[in-house]
Amino acid sequence: MTPAPAQPELPQLPDGISVEELESLCVRFATEAARFIRDERPDRMGVAATKSSETDVVTVMDQRSEELLHRLIQQARPDDGILGEEGADVLGTSGLTWVVDPIDGTVNYLYEVPAYAVSVAVVVGDAQSQGGWRPVAGAVADPCLRLVHHAGRGTGAWTSPENPADRADPARLSVSGEDRLARTLLATGFGYDPQVRARQAEVLLRVLPQVRDIRRIGSAALDLVRVAQGSVDAYAETGLNAWDLAAGWLVVEEAGGVVVGVGEGAHSAPGKALTVAAGPALVDQVRTLFVGPAAPPDAARG
């Protein structure tokens, strides 16, 4: 069984702020943005730009959702930094950085496939360096199911209704106890660059015969949540950025799971080269399937 990998010592929370307070803010901000992208979605979705390839889109609502998150964060925590998928980053002075994905699963959102989320996390350390940061609070809001999945460091992982009036009875999350690859339902995802996809397909040729089955949902944040709630046994993918995994990483760990990267030291942390999430008895087995010449750092997914 694999314990959570050792991480470099990181800064502590600033004086006067608690994990519980940060978790509450994550829930509020993610929920407000989730309501916005669901309730204000135009009938005809506009594509504002492309990112890594023609299949990797940035919708107008991506940008508007990130603008909303920036306003909410800066009103509540004006000294904190912000790192977001759409690139409007803010340098902070407090030692805390908000890592946000305004719509994780943009293509699903564009096509009205009900599998997308808003991911909001607070981290300590340098969120743009491999292994140099850790989430301390986070929330993944699912607009379609009107749920928010959230965790704070040491507070457990929970699913709550979107409606604050119903939030008195959250459900605690717990990862699957599966310990055999042959019985593992594995979630994964693909990048947008054609060459990256080709390499990921080669990896799956090796992986698929070893597991029960594979699910490709299209949202890294929701994949990680599904590991935390035990509706899939494991998740593995290359090419993730901090905003793809920050909140979900913490939700998995607080649900009793382990989230690891490709190697040792700083590279034991999840990131572009590899992100694997599973229960302690399974995580090393899944990582072994993905570590190899076909698992280089890849372009991020949306």
Side-chain angles (χ1 to χ4, degrees):
M1 295 174 63
T2 299
Q7 299 293 331
E9 187 172 343
L10 295 171
Q12 301 297 309
L13 289 180
D15 291 340
I17 185 74
S18 68
V19 166
E20 290 81 5
E21 180 181 349
L22 292 173
E23 182 180 352
S24 178
L25 289 173
C26 287
V27 169
R28 178 162 69 87
F29 299 161
T31 300
E32 289 196 36
R35 288 195 186 109
F36 171 75
I37 64 173
R38 181 188 65 232
D39 299 343
E40 301 298 324
R41 186 185 190 279
D43 291 335
R44 294 187 176 183
M45 181 60 57
V47 178
T50 60
K51 290 186 271 188
S52 61
S53 77
E54 290 185 355
T55 57
D56 188 6
V57 297
V58 182
T59 65
V60 171
M61 293 297 282
D62 263 303
Q63 296 173 339
R64 292 181 64 192
S65 179
E66 185 157 302
E67 290 167 0
L68 170 61
L69 288 168
H70 274 241
R71 288 197 301 272
L72 293 170
I73 292 165
Q74 290 179 315
Q75 287 168 5
R77 301 280 308 166
D79 296 327
D80 295 351
I82 305 174
L83 176 67
E85 183 179 14
E86 306 313 326
D89 300 336
V90 173
L91 293 175
T93 58
S94 69
L96 297 178
T97 300
W98 294 79
V99 180
V100 302
D101 195 336
I103 305 178
D104 185 67
T106 307
V107 174
N108 286 347
Y109 183 69
L110 184 68
Y111 283 85
E112 297 188 78
V113 176
Y116 51 87
V118 176
S119 178
V120 177
V122 187
V123 312
V124 292
D126 180 2
Q128 299 193 65
S129 68
Q130 170 62 36
W133 60 279
R134 293 280 283 177
V136 294
V140 176
D142 184 333
C144 299
L145 296 181
R146 299 174 186 258
L147 296 172
V148 58
H149 316 279
H150 53 96
R153 182 72 57 190
T155 70
W158 307 86
T159 293
S160 300
E162 181 183 281
N163 185 348
D166 300 329
R167 196 164 287 144
D169 190 24
R172 187 153 195 169
L173 303 182
S174 181
V175 299
S176 161
E178 184 55 67
D179 61 359
R180 289 179 56 185
L181 272 178
R183 297 189 305 217
T184 294
L185 183 61
L186 174 71
T188 192
F190 309 120
Y192 291 104
D193 181 271
Q195 293 181 339
V196 170
R197 287 183 167 191
R199 290 196 297 268
Q200 290 171 324
E202 291 173 3
V203 173
L204 288 185
L205 288 175
R206 181 174 72 247
V207 171
L208 187 55
Q210 305 296 320
V211 297
R212 169 170 280 165
D213 208 347
I214 286 177
R215 293 292 179 267
R216 194 274 201 250
I217 295 163
S219 163
L222 290 180
D223 283 328
L224 288 163
V225 164
R226 286 178 170 88
V227 173
Q229 64 191 190
S231 58
V232 300
D233 299 305
Y235 164 68
E237 185 172 353
T238 59
L240 298 191
N241 287 302
W243 48 80
D244 297 308
L245 65 94
W249 175 6
L250 183 61
V251 172
V252 170
E253 288 191 338
E254 289 295 314
V258 180
V259 185
V260 296
V262 71
E264 303 297 328
H267 294 285
S268 68
K272 273 186 174 291
L274 184 65
T275 297
V276 176
L282 193 60
V283 67
D284 272 347
Q285 298 178 65
V286 175
R287 177 164 62 174
T288 298
L289 286 179
F290 282 81
V291 172
D298 288 331
R301 59 186 259 189

